[in-house]
């Protein structure tokens, strides 16, 4: 397996309740940030052959990106787009070139998720989580108890959990084991953990009296 660290890192994420992580990658003097996501959590076309989604972000232009599905053996990509993105010249032995790329890339894949990301990386990660959860906000101001719909309990998404875990870890810990509660975000006016917990307790008492 030329990229054996993919399986190791993916196992780490799943065991520790994370959806994604990021890490730096350097190729031909260019710096990239790689977003590493668990495909199991994404509503994409079924393709059991691949287990992760990788997004390469050019740090000289963060709008320049390449996204590929991957496993420990290979990527799924358009050859022309891949070559253009990484400035790989055409040769008759492209298969060997890609194999060398995989083996080189594997050296950059960590075996555990990096918890000490830069502010820039954190912003990139949260923006990706927002895309997954259809939410563009970053300021946590409340928690809410999810309803039952047609007798079925609603649960928070792993993206909502991870967003709070990264932006407001002290609040996340309070509700880590109760996924019937979701974290609420807005564009501005973030509240403190103490304020959020106080408001939640008040609403819980109010709902009990009304029931």
């Amino acid at each position: 397996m030329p990229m054996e660290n993919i399986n190791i890192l993916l196992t780490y994420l799943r065991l520790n309740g994370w959806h994604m992580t990021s890490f730096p990658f350097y190729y031909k003097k260019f710096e990239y940030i790689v977003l590493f996501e668990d495909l199991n959590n994404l509503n994409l076309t079924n393709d059991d052959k691949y287990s992760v989604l990788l997004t390469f972000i050019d740090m000289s232009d963060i709008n320049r990106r390449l996204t590929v599905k991957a496993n420990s053996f290979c990527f799924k990509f358009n050859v022309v787009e891949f070559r253009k993105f990484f400035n790989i010249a055409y040769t008759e032995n492209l298969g060997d070139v890609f194999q060398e790329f995989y083996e080189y890339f594997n050296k950059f894949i960590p075996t555990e998720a990096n918890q000490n990301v830069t502010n820039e990386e954190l912003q990139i990660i949260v923006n990706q989580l927002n895309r997954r959860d259809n939410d563009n906000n970053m300021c946590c101001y409340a928690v809410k108890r999810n309803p039952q719909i047609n007798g079925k309990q609603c649960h928070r998404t792993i993206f909502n959990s991870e967003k709070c875990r990264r932006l407001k870890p002290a609040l996340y810990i309070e509700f880590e084991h109760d996924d019937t509660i979701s974290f609420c975000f807005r564009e501005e006016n973030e509240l403190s953990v103490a304020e959020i917990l106080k408001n939640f307790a008040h609403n819980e008492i109010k709902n009990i009296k009304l029931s």
Side-chain angles (χ1 to χ4, degrees):
M1 293 186 291
M3 297 179 289
E4 62 181 353
N5 283 358
I6 282 183
N7 281 348
I8 297 173
L9 180 55
L10 181 59
T11 298
Y12 177 90
L13 291 183
R14 289 176 176 175
L15 288 175
N16 291 277
W18 294 98
H19 163 66
M20 68 184 297
T21 187
S22 68
F23 54 88
F25 174 56
Y26 300 90
Y27 187 72
K28 292 190 174 182
K29 299 182 179 180
F30 284 91
E31 178 184 1
Y32 304 90
I33 290 296
V34 181
L35 299 182
F36 183 106
E37 298 182 76
D38 184 350
L39 265 177
N40 273 1
N41 301 319
L42 301 177
N43 187 23
L44 300 176
T45 303
N46 262 344
D47 198 339
D48 294 338
K49 182 179 178 181
Y50 301 95
S51 55
V52 302
L53 192 72
L54 304 175
T55 301
F56 294 87
I57 302 173
D58 186 342
M59 294 309 289
S60 65
D61 177 5
I62 62 172
N63 293 315
R64 184 171 177 269
R65 303 179 174 212
L66 178 71
T67 299
V68 300
K69 292 180 180 180
N71 56 33
S72 290
F73 295 93
C74 63
F75 295 165
K76 182 179 183 180
F77 57 79
N78 177 286
V79 173
V80 175
E81 289 180 359
F82 190 86
R83 285 180 44 236
K84 183 178 179 181
F85 186 83
F86 288 110
N87 193 27
I88 298 173
Y90 175 79
T91 65
E92 292 185 356
N93 62 332
L94 276 176
D96 293 337
V97 173
F98 294 148
Q99 195 70 14
E100 290 173 2
F101 183 96
Y102 297 150
E103 293 172 0
Y104 175 74
F105 177 62
N106 187 64
K107 298 175 182 178
F108 292 86
I109 304 173
T111 55
E112 295 183 358
N114 178 20
Q115 307 301 336
N116 299 311
V117 298
T118 65
N119 288 336
E120 187 174 22
E121 282 181 90
L122 178 61
Q123 182 69 58
I124 290 171
I125 289 171
V126 171
N127 285 344
Q128 190 78 336
L129 291 170
N130 279 342
R131 292 187 189 96
R132 302 304 181 206
D133 221 21
N134 297 315
D135 178 12
N136 294 320
N137 300 309
M138 292 188 65
C139 296
C140 190
Y141 69 96
V143 292
K144 67 176 182 180
R145 190 170 295 282
N146 294 314
Q148 289 189 0
I149 297 179
N150 297 325
K152 185 177 181 180
Q153 177 64 51
C154 295
H155 301 271
R156 71 170 176 259
T157 67
I158 191 170
F159 315 115
N160 182 257
S161 290
E162 184 157 336
K163 184 175 170 181
C164 184
R165 195 174 179 182
R166 291 184 179 278
L167 295 176
K168 223 171 184 64
L171 180 63
Y172 173 77
I173 290 173
E174 294 289 335
F175 301 99
E176 178 178 4
H177 302 295
D178 187 354
D179 67 359
T180 65
I181 292 174
S182 289
F183 306 101
C184 304
F185 296 85
R186 59 190 177 194
E187 189 173 346
E188 55 187 15
N189 297 326
E190 179 179 13
L191 296 186
S192 69
V193 173
E195 290 174 308
I196 292 172
L197 293 178
K198 180 181 177 181
N199 292 339
F200 178 70
H202 175 77
N203 289 334
E204 289 286 278
I205 292 172
K206 181 179 178 181
N207 290 334
I208 290 173
K209 288 181 178 179
L210 292 176
S211 61

